[in-house]
Amino acid sequence: MSYKKIFSPKMVEKSEAATDGVGDQREGSVYVYTDDIILAVNVALATRRPLLVRGQSGGGKSSLARNVANVLNYRYYETVVSSRTQARDLQWEVDLLRRLHDAQIREKDFSSDMKRYVTPGPLWWAFDRKSAIALVGSDAEPGYPQEHAEAARAVVLLDEIDKADPDVPNNLLVPLGSLQFTVEETLQEVKTTEKRAPLVFITTNDERELPAAFLRRCVEVKLPDAADKRLVAIGKAHFPKLRAQLLQSIAKHMSQTVTAPGAAAPTTTTMPSPAEYLDTLRACDTLEIKPESPDWKNVVQMTLWKHGRSAPKEEEDGDAAAE
C-alpha cells in the first residue's frame, strides 16, 4: 500500500521461537497478515486510539496483539476479561483483605499507608513502568521477565471485552482517552505521554453489543473469514513441511457450503476457525491420515464439523475421498 508505514511487518511473520501450532497458542510467534490488518495497526498507532479487533473465535485476534509487540519490539501485557472484571482492575487493584488482616494483628502498630496494598494493573505498567516498579518491584511485572523490558512503549491486550459488565467499556474511556488515571486510595497520578502511549488491542467475539461512546473512540478491524488461500498460508506458516495437497484439501473442505434438507440452495453454517484448521492439520500429520484414508471422515468430524455443524454434502456422499 502507498502510505508511510509505522508498522511494516512481513506478510508472514514467524519468529525463531515459533511453535508448530499445537493448542490455542497465544505467543504470537507466527502470524499471517493482510493489507487491511496492517493498515488498521498503523491507523491505531497514528491516532493513539485502541484497536478493536472483531472476528470469529479461533481466528487469531489474541495472537495478533502479541505478534505486533514482537515485530515492534514493544513490551507486552495482557488480561483476559471475565464477567467479574472491573475497569479499575485493569488500572490497579487493592488487597483489602490483606489490609484487614494486618489491621487485626498489628493493632496500634498498624500503618494506614495504602501503598503497600496497591498492585499495578496492565494499563499502569504500560503507562508508567518506572512507577510500577518503584511500588512493587520488577519481579511483579506481568510476563516477567519482559522480552523488551526497556522499550519505551508497550502493547496491551484486553481480551474478550464483551464478557465484561456493560459499564466496563465506558469506564475505560477516560484512562484510554487521556492516557492517565488517579489511584483513588493513594491519589497517585499515573500517566504517560503521546510518544510513549501504549498500543491497546481490544478483542470481541460480538457476544454483547458494546456502547456507542466506546466504539466511537476505537479504531476497528474485522479479521477476514478463513478463505482457502488464507487458510493454506496459515497452515504453511505453522507447518512448513506439510504437503501442499493436504493443506489445500482441508482448506477446500472447510470452505464448502452446506445444503440443508429440503432447501433449494446451499445454507451457511458456523464455519470452522483457523485454529480448528490447524488442529486438523496436526492430527492428520501426526497420525498419517490422508483425505483418501478410511478414517478421514471421522477425523474431520471430530476437529471441524462439531457442535452441531453440518458437514458438506460432498463429504456425506463420500466424494471428498476423490480429492
Side-chain angles (χ1 to χ4, degrees), residues 90 136 278:
L90 305 174
V136 296
L278 294 177

Side-chain angles (χ1 to χ4, degrees), residues 153-317:
R153 298 185 68 178
V155 165
V156 179
L157 170 63
L158 307 181
D159 205 12
E160 301 185 3
I161 191 69
D162 45 347
K163 289 186 177 179
D165 184 270
D167 289 336
V168 171
N170 281 334
N171 291 339
L172 288 172
L173 294 180
V174 172
L176 291 180
S178 64
L179 302 177
Q180 63 181 358
F181 59 86
T182 301
V183 181
E184 296 173 3
E185 289 78 7
T186 64
L187 300 182
Q188 179 177 354
E189 289 190 357
V190 178
K191 57 184 178 180
T192 187
T193 63
E194 286 197 8
K195 290 185 178 180
R196 300 170 68 92
L199 173 58
V200 179
F201 285 80
I202 303 174
T203 72
T204 175
N205 292 325
D206 290 324
E207 294 179 0
R208 174 183 291 170
E209 186 174 352
L210 297 172
F214 177 78
L215 294 175
R216 183 176 66 81
R217 290 168 172 83
C218 293
V219 173
E220 183 175 318
V221 64
K222 186 180 186 303
L223 298 192
D225 293 332
D228 292 11
K229 186 176 180 180
R230 177 166 169 78
L231 281 173
V232 170
I234 291 171
K236 188 179 297 184
H238 283 271
F239 300 99
K241 296 181 180 179
L242 283 188
R243 294 181 300 112
Q245 180 185 3
L246 180 61
L247 298 173
Q248 294 166 359
S249 294
I250 298 176
K252 183 179 180 181
H253 178 79
M254 286 176 58
S255 65
Q256 292 172 340
T257 55
V258 179
T259 301
T267 55
T268 302
T269 62
T270 301
M271 299 303 294
S273 68
E276 291 164 308
Y277 172 67
L278 294 177
D279 287 341
T280 309
L281 289 176
R282 165 168 271 277
C284 290
D285 179 44
T286 303
L287 303 177
E288 298 183 359
I289 295 174
K290 301 176 182 179
E292 62 270 18
S293 300
D295 294 309
W296 162 259
K297 181 177 180 179
N298 287 336
V299 169
V300 296
Q301 189 69 45
M302 294 171 183
T303 59
L304 299 177
W305 306 108
K306 50 191 177 180
H307 307 307
R309 296 172 180 151
S310 298
K313 187 176 186 299
E314 289 79 0
E315 179 63 24
E316 295 171 356
D317 294 339

Side-chain angles (χ1 to χ4, degrees), residues 35-51:
D35 289 333
D36 286 345
I37 294 174
I38 295 173
L39 177 59
V41 174
N42 277 285
V43 172
L45 286 167
T47 59
R48 305 293 195 269
R49 292 293 192 182
L51 178 57

Side-chain angles (χ1 to χ4, degrees), residues 9-32:
K10 302 173 185 176
M11 296 309 290
V12 178
E13 277 288 347
K14 185 172 184 179
S15 72
E16 295 180 358
T19 66
D20 56 7
V22 61
D24 292 326
Q25 297 289 343
R26 298 172 64 91
E27 82 281 358
S29 56
V30 180
Y31 205 84
V32 178

